[in-house]
Amino acid sequence: MENEQNSSLYMPVDGSFENLGYAARYDSAENAVDLIPCRSGSHEVAGEVVSQGNVVLDLVNHAGQTNIARSGSFYAEDQQTLVLSITSDIKGGSADLFLFDPNGGEQRITIGAADVVKEIPLRKGIWQYNCSGMFKDGGDIKIVGTVKAAVSR
């Protein structure tokens, strides 16, 4: 490749940078890849049965960043509930949290500048989530999802 003017190297960006502690987002308008620092440790626990009180989502944007882009999955049993505690003071935009049930059904939660607690009944299987959004004037988002057993009536 020496002396080549138009040399290119292609690699799987998502997996490569995830191992280095970054999430990668492709910006097609700019033809660029944005690297977003992620906290260490995986938020994905797919394949393990989650017991009551376990945190299965722990998502946060990072200081000075005006976006969030995170995804993962977790395993749930019937009769469990996902309790989402969302704290947000973002300005000039919003973020969307998409939850996908084991059958592919989708729930969308739009996050603005407010604190919210939501409870979502779970069914057995692997649940996937994706959270993304941009906020022009800054602010912070934190989403913590814990699992609790359903209350019998």
Side-chain angles (χ1 to χ4, degrees):
M1 293 174 69
E2 194 172 310
N3 297 326
E4 293 270 334
Q5 289 184 356
N6 294 321
S7 298
S8 297
L9 173 65
Y10 297 96
M11 61 186 249
V13 174
D14 287 355
S16 299
F17 283 107
E18 183 178 317
N19 290 331
L20 296 172
Y22 292 89
R25 184 181 63 86
Y26 177 67
D27 182 344
S28 60
E30 297 290 325
N31 193 27
V33 174
D34 295 327
L35 297 179
I36 303 159
C38 295
R39 294 190 305 182
S40 62
S42 173
H43 298 299
E44 186 168 327
V45 293
E48 298 176 19
V49 174
V50 178
S51 61
Q52 182 171 337
N54 280 9
V55 173
V56 294
L57 280 92
D58 187 5
L59 312 176
V60 65
N61 71 313
H62 297 276
Q65 300 238 276
T66 56
N67 63 8
I68 187 168
R70 300 294 300 273
S71 62
S73 62
F74 61 93
Y75 184 86
E77 291 288 339
D78 285 329
Q79 307 302 314
Q80 290 182 322
T81 300
L82 177 65
V83 179
L84 292 173
S85 298
I86 301 168
T87 55
S88 174
D89 64 356
I90 61 173
K91 300 161 195 75
S94 65
D96 290 309
L97 174 64
F98 293 93
L99 290 173
F100 302 96
D101 69 29
N103 296 328
E106 173 187 306
Q107 291 186 50
R108 178 181 181 179
I109 300 165
T110 299
I111 303 164
D115 296 347
V116 178
V117 175
K118 292 186 103 29
E119 292 195 9
I120 297 158
L122 300 174
R123 69 176 67 148
K124 184 177 183 171
I126 296 176
W127 287 71
Q128 297 179 356
Y129 60 86
N130 181 327
C131 183
S132 61
M134 300 186 75
F135 15 103
K136 179 179 176 185
D137 298 323
D140 294 308
I141 292 177
K142 181 169 179 66
I143 304 166
V144 176
T146 56
V147 171
K148 73 174 188 174
V151 178
S152 303
R153 293 182 190 216

